[in-house]
Amino acid sequence: LNRSGIETIILERSSREHVLSRIRAGVLEWGTVEVLREAGVGARMEAEGFVHDGTWLSDADRLVHIDFHALTGKRVMIYGQTEVTHDLYEAQDALGTRIIHGVGEVTIHDLDGAQAAVDYTLNGTRHRLRCAYVAGCDGFHGVSRRTIPAGKRREFERVYPFGWLGILSKTPPVQDELIYASSPHGFALASMRNANLVRCYVQVPLTDRVEDWPDERFWAEFRRRLPAEAAARLVTGPAIEKSIAPLRSFVSEPLRWGRLFLVGDAAHIVPPTGAKGLNLAVSDVFYLHQALIDALKHGKEAGIDGYSQRALARIWQAMRFSWQMTTMLHRFDDEDSFAAQMRRAALDHLALSETARRELAENYVGLPF
């Protein structure tokens, strides 16, 4: 928006240091890569990111390869969300964007008037911003979604009875591409940030705490959920970050209320199984930035009028894929023997059917914007 001559102001609750210390997603769809390039923030990603042509799915010792590039002509980029945020900060600083950290008590008003108002507290003083539009990028717990009257919102949610315990460790990956591992002991994901930094996960009950999982217990459990050939290559080391993330699927409709637009986690949450959270936020941004430029620079409002419907169509497809991947790979506590057989049958189908592998690959690399 700034590069198009549209002034923006960013309100942030946390400090910059806190924002840049948070460990988040690391798989970028190719559409996300192209949006970052278009925004002029792709140079470091190109230099330091890792392009992956595919991924692996496993059940016990069986491995099935999904070759994204052969099946779709596209790839994914391994580049951490923290690094993307760092690049965006640098670009905004270079443009002179006002980024106000440490704000609290945010309220949004006058969404049906000539200008919206955003009130906030900074250092004990109350402030008000007047603006043409408000982009609510403040996450699941933010104020933006709650500003839309409860009677006008429709919310859809599926809460899963487990979470992901993840660690970051300065150790080499067990494979050159990600492994999504289903096992009788639960799910595990072998991911990475670079050649000597891994991000690994195991499925855990929601009642577990990080303190219940010393490094030795984590690595032992992670190892037994991997296929034997990958487990044999596992190098363990101390965790430099460890956290548990609950899993849920959530969508709130509509994404527009007057001069307010919901973007990213403010509007939708997906399980991390399909690597869609950050990428869905980018597709929202892609649709909205085009619409705002058309409205503010050219007086054309068709884009902002259609933003909610356009974004939701892609959101629900990503929601379906993430739900499918989650149910296909995770063990549920109350499941019967039939469920385990269905997981094996799903992997059998992927192994035997190029059409099934292509459908998974198309969704993983990202549907068109």
Short mmCIF file of all heavy atoms in Angstrom, two decimals, residues 115-181:
data_model
loop_
_atom_site.label_atom_id
_atom_site.label_comp_id
_atom_site.label_asym_id
_atom_site.label_seq_id
_atom_site.Cartn_x
_atom_site.Cartn_y
_atom_site.Cartn_z
N GLN A 115 -15.42 8.38 7.78
CA GLN A 115 -14.10 7.91 8.20
C GLN A 115 -14.27 7.02 9.43
O GLN A 115 -15.09 7.28 10.30
CB GLN A 115 -13.18 9.08 8.56
CG GLN A 115 -12.53 9.78 7.39
CD GLN A 115 -11.43 10.72 7.87
OE1 GLN A 115 -11.60 11.43 8.87
NE2 GLN A 115 -10.30 10.72 7.17
N ALA A 116 -13.45 5.98 9.48
CA ALA A 116 -13.43 5.13 10.67
C ALA A 116 -12.57 5.77 11.74
O ALA A 116 -11.72 6.64 11.46
CB ALA A 116 -12.90 3.75 10.32
N ALA A 117 -12.78 5.37 12.99
CA ALA A 117 -11.96 5.85 14.11
C ALA A 117 -11.42 4.65 14.88
O ALA A 117 -12.14 3.69 15.13
CB ALA A 117 -12.79 6.73 15.05
N VAL A 118 -10.13 4.73 15.22
CA VAL A 118 -9.49 3.70 16.05
C VAL A 118 -8.91 4.39 17.27
O VAL A 118 -8.04 5.26 17.14
CB VAL A 118 -8.38 2.96 15.28
CG1 VAL A 118 -7.76 1.88 16.17
CG2 VAL A 118 -8.92 2.35 13.99
N ASP A 119 -9.42 4.04 18.44
CA ASP A 119 -8.92 4.61 19.70
C ASP A 119 -7.98 3.60 20.36
O ASP A 119 -8.22 2.39 20.32
CB ASP A 119 -10.08 4.92 20.66
CG ASP A 119 -10.99 6.01 20.13
OD1 ASP A 119 -10.59 6.70 19.17
OD2 ASP A 119 -12.10 6.15 20.67
N TYR A 120 -6.93 4.10 21.01
CA TYR A 120 -5.99 3.21 21.69
C TYR A 120 -5.27 3.99 22.78
O TYR A 120 -5.25 5.23 22.78
CB TYR A 120 -4.97 2.63 20.71
CG TYR A 120 -4.07 3.65 20.05
CD1 TYR A 120 -2.81 3.94 20.56
CD2 TYR A 120 -4.48 4.32 18.89
CE1 TYR A 120 -1.98 4.88 19.96
CE2 TYR A 120 -3.66 5.24 18.29
CZ TYR A 120 -2.41 5.52 18.82
OH TYR A 120 -1.59 6.45 18.22
N THR A 121 -4.71 3.25 23.72
CA THR A 121 -3.94 3.83 24.81
C THR A 121 -2.47 3.53 24.59
O THR A 121 -2.09 2.39 24.27
CB THR A 121 -4.39 3.25 26.15
OG1 THR A 121 -5.77 3.58 26.36
CG2 THR A 121 -3.56 3.82 27.31
N LEU A 122 -1.62 4.55 24.75
CA LEU A 122 -0.18 4.41 24.63
C LEU A 122 0.47 5.19 25.76
O LEU A 122 0.24 6.41 25.88
CB LEU A 122 0.31 4.91 23.27
CG LEU A 122 1.82 4.83 23.02
CD1 LEU A 122 2.28 3.38 22.95
CD2 LEU A 122 2.20 5.56 21.73
N ASN A 123 1.24 4.50 26.59
CA ASN A 123 1.93 5.14 27.71
C ASN A 123 0.96 5.92 28.60
O ASN A 123 1.26 7.03 29.06
CB ASN A 123 3.04 6.07 27.21
CG ASN A 123 4.11 5.32 26.44
OD1 ASN A 123 4.44 4.18 26.77
ND2 ASN A 123 4.65 5.95 25.40
N GLY A 124 -0.23 5.34 28.81
CA GLY A 124 -1.21 5.95 29.70
C GLY A 124 -2.05 7.04 29.09
O GLY A 124 -2.94 7.57 29.77
N THR A 125 -1.82 7.37 27.83
CA THR A 125 -2.56 8.44 27.16
C THR A 125 -3.46 7.86 26.08
O THR A 125 -3.05 6.98 25.33
CB THR A 125 -1.60 9.47 26.53
OG1 THR A 125 -0.76 10.00 27.54
CG2 THR A 125 -2.37 10.59 25.86
N ARG A 126 -4.68 8.37 26.01
CA ARG A 126 -5.64 7.92 25.01
C ARG A 126 -5.43 8.68 23.72
O ARG A 126 -5.23 9.91 23.71
CB ARG A 126 -7.05 8.13 25.53
CG ARG A 126 -8.11 7.29 24.84
CD ARG A 126 -8.01 5.86 25.23
NE ARG A 126 -9.12 5.08 24.62
CZ ARG A 126 -9.02 3.82 24.30
NH1 ARG A 126 -7.89 3.17 24.53
NH2 ARG A 126 -10.04 3.18 23.78
N HIS A 127 -5.47 7.94 22.58
CA HIS A 127 -5.28 8.54 21.26
C HIS A 127 -6.40 8.09 20.34
O HIS A 127 -7.01 7.05 20.55
CB HIS A 127 -3.93 8.12 20.66
CG HIS A 127 -2.74 8.51 21.47
ND1 HIS A 127 -2.04 9.67 21.26
CD2 HIS A 127 -2.13 7.88 22.50
CE1 HIS A 127 -1.04 9.75 22.11
NE2 HIS A 127 -1.08 8.66 22.89
N ARG A 128 -6.63 8.86 19.28
CA ARG A 128 -7.61 8.49 18.25
C ARG A 128 -6.99 8.68 16.88
O ARG A 128 -6.39 9.72 16.58
CB ARG A 128 -8.88 9.31 18.37
CG ARG A 128 -9.83 9.16 17.17
CD ARG A 128 -11.22 9.67 17.44
NE ARG A 128 -11.94 8.78 18.37
CZ ARG A 128 -13.24 8.87 18.61
NH1 ARG A 128 -13.98 9.80 18.03
NH2 ARG A 128 -13.82 8.04 19.47
N LEU A 129 -7.15 7.65 16.02
CA LEU A 129 -6.76 7.73 14.61
C LEU A 129 -8.03 7.81 13.77
O LEU A 129 -8.99 7.07 14.01
CB LEU A 129 -5.98 6.49 14.19
CG LEU A 129 -4.53 6.36 14.65
CD1 LEU A 129 -3.99 5.00 14.20
CD2 LEU A 129 -3.68 7.47 14.06
N ARG A 130 -8.00 8.68 12.78
CA ARG A 130 -9.05 8.70 11.77
C ARG A 130 -8.47 8.11 10.49
O ARG A 130 -7.36 8.43 10.10
CB ARG A 130 -9.53 10.12 11.52
CG ARG A 130 -10.41 10.69 12.62
CD ARG A 130 -11.78 10.04 12.58
NE ARG A 130 -12.71 10.61 13.57
CZ ARG A 130 -13.95 10.17 13.74
NH1 ARG A 130 -14.42 9.18 12.97
NH2 ARG A 130 -14.73 10.69 14.65
N CYS A 131 -9.24 7.25 9.83
CA CYS A 131 -8.70 6.59 8.65
C CYS A 131 -9.83 6.20 7.70
O CYS A 131 -11.00 6.15 8.09
CB CYS A 131 -7.90 5.35 9.04
SG CYS A 131 -8.80 4.20 10.12
N ALA A 132 -9.45 5.95 6.45
CA ALA A 132 -10.45 5.55 5.46
C ALA A 132 -10.94 4.14 5.72
O ALA A 132 -12.14 3.86 5.62
CB ALA A 132 -9.85 5.66 4.05
N TYR A 133 -10.00 3.23 6.05
CA TYR A 133 -10.34 1.83 6.28
C TYR A 133 -9.48 1.27 7.39
O TYR A 133 -8.37 1.75 7.65
CB TYR A 133 -10.13 1.00 5.01
CG TYR A 133 -11.01 1.42 3.86
CD1 TYR A 133 -10.49 2.14 2.78
CD2 TYR A 133 -12.37 1.10 3.84
CE1 TYR A 133 -11.28 2.53 1.72
CE2 TYR A 133 -13.18 1.50 2.78
CZ TYR A 133 -12.63 2.21 1.72
OH TYR A 133 -13.44 2.60 0.69
N VAL A 134 -9.99 0.21 8.04
CA VAL A 134 -9.26 -0.49 9.09
C VAL A 134 -9.06 -1.94 8.64
O VAL A 134 -10.03 -2.64 8.33
CB VAL A 134 -10.03 -0.47 10.42
CG1 VAL A 134 -9.24 -1.24 11.49
CG2 VAL A 134 -10.31 0.95 10.86
N ALA A 135 -7.81 -2.38 8.62
CA ALA A 135 -7.50 -3.79 8.36
C ALA A 135 -7.27 -4.46 9.72
O ALA A 135 -6.30 -4.15 10.41
CB ALA A 135 -6.26 -3.92 7.48
N GLY A 136 -8.17 -5.34 10.09
CA GLY A 136 -8.07 -6.02 11.39
C GLY A 136 -7.19 -7.25 11.28
O GLY A 136 -7.67 -8.34 10.94
N CYS A 137 -5.91 -7.06 11.56
CA CYS A 137 -4.92 -8.15 11.47
C CYS A 137 -4.47 -8.55 12.87
O CYS A 137 -3.28 -8.85 13.08
CB CYS A 137 -3.71 -7.69 10.64
SG CYS A 137 -4.11 -6.92 9.07
N ASP A 138 -5.37 -8.53 13.83
CA ASP A 138 -5.00 -8.64 15.24
C ASP A 138 -5.28 -10.01 15.84
O ASP A 138 -5.36 -10.17 17.06
CB ASP A 138 -5.69 -7.55 16.07
CG ASP A 138 -7.20 -7.49 15.85
OD1 ASP A 138 -7.70 -8.13 14.91
OD2 ASP A 138 -7.87 -6.80 16.63
N GLY A 139 -5.41 -11.03 15.00
CA GLY A 139 -5.44 -12.39 15.50
C GLY A 139 -6.76 -12.82 16.12
O GLY A 139 -7.72 -12.06 16.24
N PHE A 140 -6.76 -14.08 16.54
CA PHE A 140 -7.97 -14.72 17.06
C PHE A 140 -8.52 -14.00 18.29
O PHE A 140 -9.73 -13.92 18.49
CB PHE A 140 -7.65 -16.18 17.39
CG PHE A 140 -8.83 -16.97 17.88
CD1 PHE A 140 -9.78 -17.43 16.99
CD2 PHE A 140 -8.98 -17.26 19.22
CE1 PHE A 140 -10.87 -18.17 17.43
CE2 PHE A 140 -10.07 -18.00 19.68
CZ PHE A 140 -11.02 -18.45 18.78
N HIS A 141 -7.64 -13.47 19.14
CA HIS A 141 -8.07 -12.85 20.39
C HIS A 141 -8.18 -11.33 20.28
O HIS A 141 -8.40 -10.65 21.29
CB HIS A 141 -7.10 -13.21 21.52
CG HIS A 141 -7.01 -14.69 21.78
ND1 HIS A 141 -8.03 -15.40 22.38
CD2 HIS A 141 -6.04 -15.58 21.50
CE1 HIS A 141 -7.68 -16.68 22.46
NE2 HIS A 141 -6.48 -16.81 21.94
N GLY A 142 -8.03 -10.78 19.09
CA GLY A 142 -8.04 -9.33 18.94
C GLY A 142 -9.43 -8.73 18.99
O GLY A 142 -10.45 -9.43 19.06
N VAL A 143 -9.46 -7.40 18.88
CA VAL A 143 -10.71 -6.67 19.01
C VAL A 143 -11.50 -6.60 17.70
O VAL A 143 -12.71 -6.39 17.71
CB VAL A 143 -10.44 -5.24 19.53
CG1 VAL A 143 -9.71 -4.40 18.47
CG2 VAL A 143 -11.72 -4.55 19.97
N SER A 144 -10.83 -6.78 16.57
CA SER A 144 -11.47 -6.52 15.28
C SER A 144 -12.70 -7.39 15.05
O SER A 144 -13.78 -6.89 14.72
CB SER A 144 -10.47 -6.72 14.14
OG SER A 144 -9.42 -5.78 14.22
N ARG A 145 -12.55 -8.70 15.21
CA ARG A 145 -13.69 -9.57 14.96
C ARG A 145 -14.83 -9.26 15.93
O ARG A 145 -16.01 -9.27 15.54
CB ARG A 145 -13.28 -11.04 15.06
CG ARG A 145 -14.42 -12.00 14.70
CD ARG A 145 -14.01 -13.46 14.72
NE ARG A 145 -13.74 -13.95 16.07
CZ ARG A 145 -12.53 -14.20 16.55
NH1 ARG A 145 -11.45 -13.96 15.82
NH2 ARG A 145 -12.37 -14.64 17.78
N ARG A 146 -14.50 -8.98 17.18
CA ARG A 146 -15.54 -8.71 18.18
C ARG A 146 -16.23 -7.37 17.93
O ARG A 146 -17.29 -7.11 18.52
CB ARG A 146 -14.93 -8.73 19.58
CG ARG A 146 -14.34 -10.08 19.97
CD ARG A 146 -14.13 -10.17 21.49
NE ARG A 146 -13.27 -9.10 21.98
CZ ARG A 146 -11.95 -9.15 22.04
NH1 ARG A 146 -11.32 -10.24 21.59
NH2 ARG A 146 -11.26 -8.15 22.53
N THR A 147 -15.65 -6.52 17.08
CA THR A 147 -16.30 -5.26 16.74
C THR A 147 -17.52 -5.49 15.86
O THR A 147 -18.48 -4.71 15.89
CB THR A 147 -15.29 -4.33 16.04
OG1 THR A 147 -14.20 -4.05 16.94
CG2 THR A 147 -15.92 -3.03 15.61
N ILE A 148 -17.50 -6.56 15.07
CA ILE A 148 -18.68 -6.90 14.28
C ILE A 148 -19.75 -7.42 15.24
O ILE A 148 -19.49 -8.31 16.05
CB ILE A 148 -18.33 -7.97 13.22
CG1 ILE A 148 -17.24 -7.46 12.29
CG2 ILE A 148 -19.58 -8.37 12.43
CD1 ILE A 148 -16.75 -8.50 11.29
N PRO A 149 -20.97 -6.87 15.20
CA PRO A 149 -22.00 -7.29 16.16
C PRO A 149 -22.20 -8.81 16.16
O PRO A 149 -22.20 -9.45 15.10
CB PRO A 149 -23.25 -6.56 15.67
CG PRO A 149 -22.73 -5.37 14.92
CD PRO A 149 -21.45 -5.81 14.29
N ALA A 150 -22.35 -9.38 17.35
CA ALA A 150 -22.46 -10.83 17.48
C ALA A 150 -23.61 -11.38 16.64
O ALA A 150 -23.51 -12.47 16.06
CB ALA A 150 -22.66 -11.21 18.95
N GLY A 151 -24.68 -10.63 16.54
CA GLY A 151 -25.82 -11.09 15.76
C GLY A 151 -25.59 -11.06 14.26
O GLY A 151 -26.39 -11.63 13.50
N LYS A 152 -24.53 -10.41 13.84
CA LYS A 152 -24.21 -10.31 12.41
C LYS A 152 -23.08 -11.26 12.00
O LYS A 152 -22.75 -11.35 10.82
CB LYS A 152 -23.82 -8.88 12.05
CG LYS A 152 -24.88 -7.84 12.36
CD LYS A 152 -26.15 -8.08 11.55
CE LYS A 152 -27.19 -7.00 11.80
NZ LYS A 152 -28.42 -7.22 11.00
N ARG A 153 -22.48 -11.93 12.97
CA ARG A 153 -21.37 -12.85 12.70
C ARG A 153 -21.86 -14.29 12.68
O ARG A 153 -22.70 -14.67 13.50
CB ARG A 153 -20.29 -12.74 13.78
CG ARG A 153 -19.31 -11.62 13.60
CD ARG A 153 -18.23 -11.69 14.67
NE ARG A 153 -18.64 -11.03 15.92
CZ ARG A 153 -18.50 -11.55 17.12
NH1 ARG A 153 -18.01 -12.77 17.28
NH2 ARG A 153 -18.88 -10.88 18.18
N ARG A 154 -21.30 -15.08 11.80
CA ARG A 154 -21.49 -16.53 11.83
C ARG A 154 -20.12 -17.15 12.07
O ARG A 154 -19.17 -16.86 11.34
CB ARG A 154 -22.08 -17.04 10.52
CG ARG A 154 -23.46 -16.51 10.20
CD ARG A 154 -23.97 -17.15 8.92
NE ARG A 154 -24.21 -18.58 9.07
CZ ARG A 154 -24.23 -19.44 8.05
NH1 ARG A 154 -23.97 -19.03 6.82
NH2 ARG A 154 -24.47 -20.72 8.27
N GLU A 155 -20.02 -17.98 13.10
CA GLU A 155 -18.74 -18.58 13.43
C GLU A 155 -18.84 -20.10 13.37
O GLU A 155 -19.83 -20.68 13.84
CB GLU A 155 -18.27 -18.11 14.81
CG GLU A 155 -18.02 -16.60 14.84
CD GLU A 155 -17.41 -16.11 16.14
OE1 GLU A 155 -17.40 -16.88 17.12
OE2 GLU A 155 -16.95 -14.96 16.17
N PHE A 156 -17.84 -20.71 12.78
CA PHE A 156 -17.79 -22.15 12.58
C PHE A 156 -16.50 -22.66 13.22
O PHE A 156 -15.42 -22.13 12.93
CB PHE A 156 -17.79 -22.48 11.09
CG PHE A 156 -18.92 -21.83 10.32
CD1 PHE A 156 -18.80 -20.54 9.82
CD2 PHE A 156 -20.11 -22.51 10.11
CE1 PHE A 156 -19.83 -19.94 9.10
CE2 PHE A 156 -21.14 -21.93 9.40
CZ PHE A 156 -21.01 -20.64 8.89
N GLU A 157 -16.59 -23.70 14.06
CA GLU A 157 -15.40 -24.12 14.79
C GLU A 157 -15.37 -25.62 15.00
O GLU A 157 -16.40 -26.25 15.23
CB GLU A 157 -15.34 -23.41 16.15
CG GLU A 157 -14.06 -23.67 16.92
CD GLU A 157 -13.96 -22.81 18.17
OE1 GLU A 157 -15.01 -22.54 18.79
OE2 GLU A 157 -12.84 -22.41 18.51
N ARG A 158 -14.18 -26.19 14.89
CA ARG A 158 -13.91 -27.57 15.26
C ARG A 158 -12.64 -27.54 16.12
O ARG A 158 -11.58 -27.16 15.63
CB ARG A 158 -13.71 -28.43 14.01
CG ARG A 158 -13.13 -29.83 14.26
CD ARG A 158 -14.12 -30.74 14.94
NE ARG A 158 -15.39 -30.86 14.25
CZ ARG A 158 -15.64 -31.72 13.25
NH1 ARG A 158 -14.69 -32.54 12.82
NH2 ARG A 158 -16.84 -31.77 12.70
N VAL A 159 -12.78 -27.93 17.39
CA VAL A 159 -11.63 -27.97 18.31
C VAL A 159 -11.16 -29.41 18.40
O VAL A 159 -11.95 -30.31 18.69
CB VAL A 159 -12.00 -27.43 19.70
CG1 VAL A 159 -10.82 -27.55 20.65
CG2 VAL A 159 -12.46 -25.98 19.60
N TYR A 160 -9.89 -29.64 18.15
CA TYR A 160 -9.33 -30.99 18.16
C TYR A 160 -8.85 -31.34 19.56
O TYR A 160 -8.35 -30.47 20.28
CB TYR A 160 -8.20 -31.11 17.13
CG TYR A 160 -8.68 -30.82 15.73
CD1 TYR A 160 -8.63 -29.52 15.21
CD2 TYR A 160 -9.20 -31.83 14.93
CE1 TYR A 160 -9.11 -29.24 13.93
CE2 TYR A 160 -9.67 -31.56 13.65
CZ TYR A 160 -9.62 -30.26 13.16
OH TYR A 160 -10.09 -29.99 11.90
N PRO A 161 -8.95 -32.62 19.95
CA PRO A 161 -8.63 -33.00 21.33
C PRO A 161 -7.15 -33.28 21.57
O PRO A 161 -6.79 -34.16 22.34
CB PRO A 161 -9.46 -34.28 21.52
CG PRO A 161 -9.49 -34.90 20.16
CD PRO A 161 -9.54 -33.74 19.19
N PHE A 162 -6.29 -32.53 20.90
CA PHE A 162 -4.85 -32.69 21.07
C PHE A 162 -4.15 -31.43 20.60
O PHE A 162 -4.77 -30.54 20.00
CB PHE A 162 -4.32 -33.91 20.30
CG PHE A 162 -4.87 -34.04 18.89
CD1 PHE A 162 -4.46 -33.20 17.87
CD2 PHE A 162 -5.81 -35.03 18.61
CE1 PHE A 162 -4.98 -33.33 16.59
CE2 PHE A 162 -6.34 -35.16 17.33
CZ PHE A 162 -5.91 -34.30 16.31
N GLY A 163 -2.87 -31.34 20.91
CA GLY A 163 -2.05 -30.22 20.46
C GLY A 163 -0.76 -30.73 19.85
O GLY A 163 -0.51 -31.94 19.80
N TRP A 164 0.06 -29.79 19.39
CA TRP A 164 1.39 -30.10 18.88
C TRP A 164 2.42 -29.54 19.86
O TRP A 164 2.43 -28.33 20.13
CB TRP A 164 1.61 -29.48 17.53
CG TRP A 164 1.06 -30.22 16.36
CD1 TRP A 164 0.15 -31.23 16.38
CD2 TRP A 164 1.38 -29.99 14.98
NE1 TRP A 164 -0.12 -31.65 15.10
CE2 TRP A 164 0.63 -30.91 14.22
CE3 TRP A 164 2.21 -29.09 14.33
CZ2 TRP A 164 0.69 -30.95 12.82
CZ3 TRP A 164 2.29 -29.14 12.95
CH2 TRP A 164 1.53 -30.05 12.20
N LEU A 165 3.26 -30.42 20.36
CA LEU A 165 4.43 -29.99 21.12
C LEU A 165 5.57 -29.82 20.12
O LEU A 165 5.96 -30.78 19.45
CB LEU A 165 4.80 -31.03 22.18
CG LEU A 165 6.15 -30.83 22.87
CD1 LEU A 165 6.16 -29.56 23.71
CD2 LEU A 165 6.49 -32.05 23.72
N GLY A 166 6.07 -28.61 20.01
CA GLY A 166 7.12 -28.33 19.04
C GLY A 166 8.38 -27.84 19.71
O GLY A 166 8.33 -27.14 20.73
N ILE A 167 9.53 -28.23 19.14
CA ILE A 167 10.80 -27.72 19.61
C ILE A 167 11.61 -27.20 18.43
O ILE A 167 11.45 -27.64 17.29
CB ILE A 167 11.63 -28.77 20.40
CG1 ILE A 167 12.21 -29.83 19.47
CG2 ILE A 167 10.81 -29.40 21.51
CD1 ILE A 167 13.29 -30.65 20.11
N LEU A 168 12.47 -26.26 18.73
CA LEU A 168 13.46 -25.75 17.78
C LEU A 168 14.81 -26.19 18.31
O LEU A 168 15.12 -26.01 19.49
CB LEU A 168 13.38 -24.23 17.71
CG LEU A 168 14.04 -23.53 16.52
CD1 LEU A 168 13.30 -23.85 15.22
CD2 LEU A 168 14.06 -22.02 16.75
N SER A 169 15.62 -26.77 17.44
CA SER A 169 16.91 -27.30 17.88
C SER A 169 17.95 -27.12 16.78
O SER A 169 17.65 -27.29 15.60
CB SER A 169 16.79 -28.79 18.23
OG SER A 169 18.04 -29.34 18.59
N LYS A 170 19.17 -26.78 17.18
CA LYS A 170 20.27 -26.61 16.22
C LYS A 170 20.88 -27.97 15.90
O LYS A 170 21.98 -28.31 16.32
CB LYS A 170 21.31 -25.65 16.78
CG LYS A 170 20.83 -24.22 16.89
CD LYS A 170 21.92 -23.28 17.41
CE LYS A 170 21.41 -21.84 17.46
NZ LYS A 170 22.45 -20.91 17.99
N THR A 171 20.12 -28.74 15.13
CA THR A 171 20.54 -30.07 14.70
C THR A 171 20.15 -30.24 13.23
O THR A 171 19.27 -29.52 12.73
CB THR A 171 19.87 -31.16 15.55
OG1 THR A 171 18.44 -30.92 15.59
CG2 THR A 171 20.41 -31.17 16.97
N PRO A 172 20.76 -31.17 12.51
CA PRO A 172 20.44 -31.35 11.09
C PRO A 172 19.11 -32.09 10.90
O PRO A 172 18.72 -32.91 11.74
CB PRO A 172 21.61 -32.19 10.57
CG PRO A 172 22.12 -32.91 11.76
CD PRO A 172 21.92 -31.99 12.92
N PRO A 173 18.41 -31.83 9.81
CA PRO A 173 17.16 -32.54 9.53
C PRO A 173 17.40 -34.02 9.27
O PRO A 173 18.49 -34.43 8.84
CB PRO A 173 16.64 -31.86 8.26
CG PRO A 173 17.40 -30.58 8.14
CD PRO A 173 18.72 -30.81 8.79
N VAL A 174 16.37 -34.83 9.51
CA VAL A 174 16.49 -36.27 9.25
C VAL A 174 16.28 -36.58 7.77
O VAL A 174 16.59 -37.69 7.31
CB VAL A 174 15.49 -37.08 10.10
CG1 VAL A 174 15.78 -36.92 11.57
CG2 VAL A 174 14.04 -36.70 9.78
N GLN A 175 15.72 -35.63 7.02
CA GLN A 175 15.40 -35.85 5.60
C GLN A 175 15.55 -34.51 4.90
O GLN A 175 15.45 -33.45 5.52
CB GLN A 175 13.97 -36.38 5.47
CG GLN A 175 13.57 -36.83 4.09
CD GLN A 175 13.85 -38.30 3.85
OE1 GLN A 175 14.38 -38.98 4.71
NE2 GLN A 175 13.53 -38.77 2.66
N ASP A 176 15.75 -34.54 3.58
CA ASP A 176 15.90 -33.28 2.85
C ASP A 176 14.57 -32.58 2.62
O ASP A 176 14.54 -31.42 2.19
CB ASP A 176 16.61 -33.51 1.52
CG ASP A 176 15.89 -34.51 0.63
OD1 ASP A 176 14.93 -35.15 1.11
OD2 ASP A 176 16.30 -34.67 -0.53
N GLU A 177 13.45 -33.27 2.89
CA GLU A 177 12.12 -32.67 2.82
C GLU A 177 11.34 -33.06 4.07
O GLU A 177 11.73 -33.97 4.81
CB GLU A 177 11.38 -33.15 1.57
CG GLU A 177 12.02 -32.68 0.28
CD GLU A 177 11.39 -33.27 -0.97
OE1 GLU A 177 10.73 -34.34 -0.86
OE2 GLU A 177 11.57 -32.69 -2.05
N LEU A 178 10.21 -32.38 4.32
CA LEU A 178 9.42 -32.64 5.52
C LEU A 178 8.85 -34.05 5.52
O LEU A 178 8.53 -34.60 4.46
CB LEU A 178 8.27 -31.63 5.62
CG LEU A 178 8.57 -30.25 6.23
CD1 LEU A 178 9.58 -29.48 5.41
CD2 LEU A 178 7.27 -29.45 6.37
N ILE A 179 8.72 -34.62 6.71
CA ILE A 179 8.05 -35.91 6.88
C ILE A 179 6.85 -35.71 7.80
O ILE A 179 6.99 -35.27 8.95
CB ILE A 179 8.98 -36.98 7.50
CG1 ILE A 179 10.20 -37.22 6.61
CG2 ILE A 179 8.21 -38.29 7.72
CD1 ILE A 179 11.19 -38.21 7.23
N TYR A 180 5.65 -36.03 7.29
CA TYR A 180 4.43 -36.07 8.09
C TYR A 180 4.21 -37.52 8.49
O TYR A 180 3.88 -38.36 7.63
CB TYR A 180 3.24 -35.55 7.29
CG TYR A 180 3.26 -34.06 7.03
CD1 TYR A 180 4.02 -33.53 6.00
CD2 TYR A 180 2.50 -33.20 7.81
CE1 TYR A 180 4.04 -32.15 5.76
CE2 TYR A 180 2.50 -31.82 7.58
CZ TYR A 180 3.27 -31.32 6.55
OH TYR A 180 3.28 -29.96 6.32
N ALA A 181 4.42 -37.84 9.75
CA ALA A 181 4.46 -39.22 10.20
C ALA A 181 3.24 -39.58 11.04
O ALA A 181 3.03 -39.02 12.12
CB ALA A 181 5.74 -39.47 11.00
#
